[in-house]
Amino acid sequence: MNKYFIGIDIGSTCAKTVVMNHEKEILHRFLQPTGWSSVDTAKQIQETLMEKGILPEESVVVATGYGRVSVPYAAKCVTEITCHAKGACYIHKNENMLLIDIGGQDTKIIRIENGMVTDFLMNDKCSAGTGRFLEVMANTLSLTPQDLCELASKGSGTSISSMCTVFAESEVISLIGRGESRENIAFAVIDSIVQKVVSQAARLTNGQEECICLTGGLCDYPYLKKSLGESLKTDVLTDTDGRYAGAIGAALSATTI
C-alpha cells in the first residue's frame, strides 16, 4: 500500500510540494525557487522528500504547473486549472466559487460549481497583472514586492495607464523623475494589477454575490487582497495555504490513482 500522496506544482518562478496521508491530511509542505531548470528543481524536491524519509517510489506522485513534464517520478501529470480548483475547494471547504490565482507569469480565473471547473480563462501572453509585473516594478523602485505592497497602502492619486510591463516600467521611471512619492507610485502599481485582474474576472462573474477566493503567491499581500475586494465590491477570501493550492490539488488527485 502506498504510504504517501505527493503533489508537486512547479510554477514558472516557485515550486510547491505537498505530502498527504490516506486521510487527505497535509503532513508536509515546502517551497523553493524554480530556477532556470525544472528538471533540477524536480531532483531537489526528490532529495528533500528523501531527507524527510519519504520515498517517491513508495508513494503516488502527481505533478502540475509549468514544469510538470519535468518530474520523471510522477505517476501522472494534471493541468494546473484542475489542480488549483481542487486545492481551493479543499482549502476553503467550499465547492462553489470564483477562483483568482495570480502566479508568477500568468493569472487564472476559474469558475467552480459543485467542485467542478465550469469555465476559466488564463492570461499567459502578457505579464501584466502577475507576480512578474510586481517584481519588475518593485525592482524599479528599489523595493521588495512585499515592501511595495505595504507602501502602496499609504499612497493615492496616481495611476499607470499602460498594461504592458515594458511601457509601465517607463511610466514608473517618468513618475520618479517628476518627483512623485514612492508611496503614490506603489499605489499605482498595485492598482494597475488589481484593475487588470478585475477586468479578467468580470468576464466570468455571474452578476450575483458569490464566494471569491484568491490563491497564488500574491495572496500573501494583505493590501492587494483588500484592494481587490474593494474593486470587486465583495470580500476576497485567502488562506495561509493559498500559494500551495496547485500542489494540494495535485496531492488530492494522487489519492484517486
Side-chain angles (χ1 to χ4, degrees):
M1 182 178 289
N2 297 304
K3 295 171 66 176
Y4 303 105
F5 302 95
I6 304 169
I8 298 174
D9 177 12
I10 300 184
S12 58
T13 58
C14 186
K16 288 75 65 176
T17 303
V18 165
V19 181
M20 286 184 172
N21 60 16
H22 285 272
E23 285 69 47
K24 299 181 182 178
E25 298 168 326
I26 297 176
L27 304 177
H28 303 282
R29 56 175 72 72
F30 57 89
L31 56 84
Q32 64 199 74
T34 298
W36 72 275
S37 170
S38 296
V39 173
D40 288 349
T41 300
K43 289 179 181 176
Q44 291 163 8
I45 290 171
Q46 184 177 25
E47 290 168 2
T48 301
L49 289 169
M50 292 174 69
E51 288 170 4
K52 296 178 182 296
I54 301 169
L55 302 177
E57 58 267 28
E58 295 180 1
S59 311
V60 181
V61 180
V62 168
T64 190
Y66 166 84
R68 61 183 178 272
V69 297
S70 303
V71 186
Y73 48 90
K76 187 177 181 180
C77 292
V78 179
T79 68
E80 54 260 54
I81 298 296
T82 297
C83 287
H84 278 276
K86 282 180 179 289
C89 290
Y90 175 95
I91 291 168
H92 295 286
K93 296 178 174 56
N94 189 335
E95 293 192 334
N96 297 280
M97 69 176 75
L98 186 71
L99 175 61
I100 299 172
D101 179 80
I102 304 178
Q105 299 282 9
D106 64 38
T107 300
K108 294 177 278 290
I109 314 293
I110 308 170
R111 172 165 289 289
I112 306 168
E113 297 175 357
N114 299 317
M116 303 294 292
V117 175
T118 58
D119 202 357
F120 74 92
L121 61 87
M122 182 188 301
N123 163 35
D124 59 356
K125 304 300 182 187
C126 171
S127 63
T130 69
R132 179 57 182 161
F133 181 88
L134 177 61
E135 187 178 68
V136 169
M137 298 305 129
N139 286 339
T140 304
L141 290 169
S142 299
L143 295 167
T144 65
Q146 177 105 29
D147 288 342
L148 186 149
C149 283
E150 291 176 4
L151 206 60
S153 65
K154 303 171 184 174
S156 64
T158 303
S159 63
I160 295 172
S161 60
S162 177
M163 284 297 181
C164 169
T165 301
V166 174
F167 293 135
E169 185 179 15
S170 295
E171 278 194 65
V172 167
I173 292 170
S174 295
L175 289 169
I176 293 170
R178 279 193 346 227
E180 191 68 68
S181 72
R182 283 209 296 184
E183 289 85 354
N184 289 350
I185 298 174
F187 169 85
V189 169
I190 298 302
D191 184 63
S192 175
I193 293 172
V194 166
Q195 296 312 315
K196 176 67 173 178
V197 173
V198 168
S199 174
Q200 289 177 271
R203 292 161 61 185
L204 289 190
T205 53
N206 57 16
Q208 301 173 354
E209 284 260 342
E210 62 183 320
C211 175
I212 298 181
C213 299
L214 175 65
T215 60
L218 298 195
C219 72
D220 290 338
Y221 302 144
Y223 177 70
L224 187 140
K225 173 204 161 187
K226 175 176 176 289
S227 183
L228 192 57
E230 289 173 350
S231 292
L232 290 168
K233 296 180 174 56
T234 187
D235 288 336
V236 174
L237 303 180
T238 59
D239 188 272
T240 52
D241 271 338
R243 71 186 311 172
Y244 288 96
I248 291 171
L252 289 169
S253 295
T255 66
T256 63
I257 295 177

